[in-house]
């Protein structure tokens, strides 16, 4: 292992670094979905929003040479996708899961169509902070070279956890998510609250897409997401709609996704590719473990369609 260049501690270090890199899109998509589902609506279209956000961020960054303008543009498209989803879902007898699947396909299709001219050009990358400058090992330095969006995602998770419990907006969101009738009795319009929550959720999902195209892997192509938007929905259920739980669950998913590259880094050349399936296996395991015909999901909003 010493010949591989990173020593005996190379695998856990590589998994740690990979968990941070891979988890960042999960963090933003899951936090966005947590906001949406707290309002009583599920949005399976976030996969399409994620990919379209990645394309938009990359295209704008190429044209402006500013990655942050790319992130802002992605957020704008995410809001539009979320508002469209929320607007359609407010009509009677419209199934939000079916609409989410349709929005996912719409987002993927339009992203692939509009993004073809931007597959080859190079865009500037989002910055990272070198927390490992104190270390002599290049591997430690690389592992602690942390992207700004990961830090912002962690801070956002803590803020949302606090806001859900201690602010009027958090109370409104929880009341609407638990009971439309109770919300109307308080003078609230559940459709308006869910529309706004879905728009905010779409904006955060698009930030996750911007990270994919502007930092890791740092390019735009049609296979950039690999289903991360859909896996984030399972992650939210696993985290019991708790933003801090979403953050740590995203790290868990990220660590699972880093297993394959970590094995490659120590010279494992056979069978390592099987570990690339670890995030998908983990998603299936979570869905199976959390499903029960007789037991309600702990912490689930009462108005959410999957709890009925």
């Amino acid at each position: 292992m010493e010949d591989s260049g990173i020593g005996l501690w190379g695998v856990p270090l590589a998994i740690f670094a990979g968990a941070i890199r891979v988890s960042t899109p999960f963090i933003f998509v899951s936090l966005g979905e947590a906001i949406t589902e707290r309002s009583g609506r599920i949005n399976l279209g976030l996969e399409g929003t994620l990919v379209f956000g990645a394309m938009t961020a990359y295209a704008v960054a190429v044209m402006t040479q500013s990655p942050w303008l790319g992130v802002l543009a992605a957020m704008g498209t995410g809001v539009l996708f979320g508002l469209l989803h929320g607007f359609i879902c407010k009509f009677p007898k419209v199934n939000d899961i079916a609409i989410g699947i349709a929005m996912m396909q719409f987002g993927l299709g339009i992203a692939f169509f509009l993004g073809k001219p931007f597959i080859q050009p190079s865009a500037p990358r989002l910055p990272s902070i070198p927390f490992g400058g104190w270390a002599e090992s290049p591997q430690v330095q690389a592992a602690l070279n942390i992207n700004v969006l990961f830090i912002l995602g962690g801070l956002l998770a803590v803020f949302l956890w606090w806001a859900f419990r201690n602010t009027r907006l958090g109370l409104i969101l929880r009341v609407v998510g638990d009971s439309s009738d109770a919300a109307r009795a308080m003078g609230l319009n559940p459709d308006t609250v869910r529309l706004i929550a879905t728009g905010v959720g779409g904006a955060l999902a698009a930030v996750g897409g911007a990270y994919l195209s502007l930092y890791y892997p740092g390019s735009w192509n049609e296979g950039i997401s690999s289903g991360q938007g859909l896996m984030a929905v399972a992650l939210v259920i696993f985290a019991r709609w708790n933003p801090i739980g979403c953050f740590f669950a995203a790290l868990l998913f990220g660590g699972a996704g880093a297993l394959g590259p970590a094995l490659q880094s120590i010279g494992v050349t056979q069978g390592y590719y099987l570990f690339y399936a670890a995030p998908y296996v983990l998603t299936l395991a979570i869905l199976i473990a959390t499903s029960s015909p007789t037991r309600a999901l702990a912490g689930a909003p009462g108005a959410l369609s999957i709890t009925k």
Side-chain angles (χ1 to χ4, degrees):
M1 286 189 183
E2 293 294 331
D3 293 338
S4 68
I6 57 175
L8 292 172
W9 43 269
V11 172
L13 182 62
I15 292 176
F16 170 78
I20 292 176
R21 288 195 302 268
V22 177
S23 68
T24 303
F26 284 118
I27 291 171
F28 281 95
V29 180
S30 64
L31 291 178
E33 181 64 4
I35 293 173
T36 302
E37 293 191 15
R38 280 278 192 165
S39 74
R41 174 169 291 147
I42 186 169
N43 185 1
L44 293 184
L46 292 183
E47 173 74 6
T49 305
L50 178 78
V51 173
F52 193 83
M55 185 279 297
T56 301
Y58 198 81
V60 171
V62 167
M63 293 185 291
T64 66
Q65 290 301 299
S66 170
W68 291 114
L69 286 179
V71 173
L72 290 176
M75 290 182 69
T77 61
V79 170
L80 293 177
F81 271 70
L83 292 178
L84 179 59
H85 182 278
F87 176 76
I88 296 173
C89 288
K90 77 174 186 177
F91 293 105
K93 298 183 179 180
V94 171
N95 185 284
D96 52 0
I97 294 178
I99 295 301
I101 295 173
M103 289 295 298
M104 176 179 65
Q105 295 302 321
F106 173 72
L108 293 173
I110 195 171
F112 297 162
F113 176 74
L114 296 177
K116 288 187 181 297
F118 297 99
I119 293 177
Q120 293 298 326
S122 177
R125 291 165 60 90
L126 288 166
S128 57
I129 301 176
F131 287 105
W134 52 270
E136 296 182 359
S137 168
Q139 289 74 35
V140 174
Q141 293 178 5
L144 295 179
N145 195 38
I146 298 176
N147 181 260
V148 173
L149 285 182
F150 175 81
I151 299 171
L152 293 177
L155 295 175
L156 180 61
V158 175
F159 171 76
L160 289 176
W161 172 82
W162 173 82
F164 283 165
R165 290 163 172 77
N166 299 283
T167 66
R168 176 174 171 79
L169 290 177
L171 174 62
I172 290 173
L173 197 67
R174 289 188 287 117
V175 169
V176 171
D178 285 333
S179 173
S180 297
D181 292 335
R184 292 189 183 96
M186 294 176 59
L188 301 173
N189 187 329
D191 289 334
T192 300
V193 174
R194 288 170 184 152
L195 179 68
I196 296 173
T198 310
V200 173
L204 292 180
V207 172
Y211 173 88
L212 287 174
S213 61
L214 295 179
Y215 189 78
Y216 183 80
S219 62
W220 159 247
N221 61 77
E222 295 181 357
I224 194 170
S225 171
S226 303
Q228 292 182 45
L230 286 173
M231 285 189 286
V233 177
L235 188 154
V236 173
I237 298 172
F238 174 61
R240 293 296 186 264
W241 296 270
N242 183 323
I244 293 181
C246 289
F247 177 80
F248 287 109
L251 283 175
L252 177 63
F253 273 59
L259 282 176
L263 290 175
Q264 277 187 292
S265 70
I266 62 169
V268 176
T269 57
Q270 294 184 350
Y272 71 88
Y273 52 84
L274 293 175
F275 288 93
Y276 281 97
Y280 307 98
V281 174
L282 184 59
T283 301
L284 289 174
I286 287 172
L287 290 175
I288 293 171
T290 56
S291 63
S292 172
T294 59
R295 176 173 51 87
L297 289 172
L304 198 62
S305 59
I306 62 174
T307 66
K308 298 178 180 178

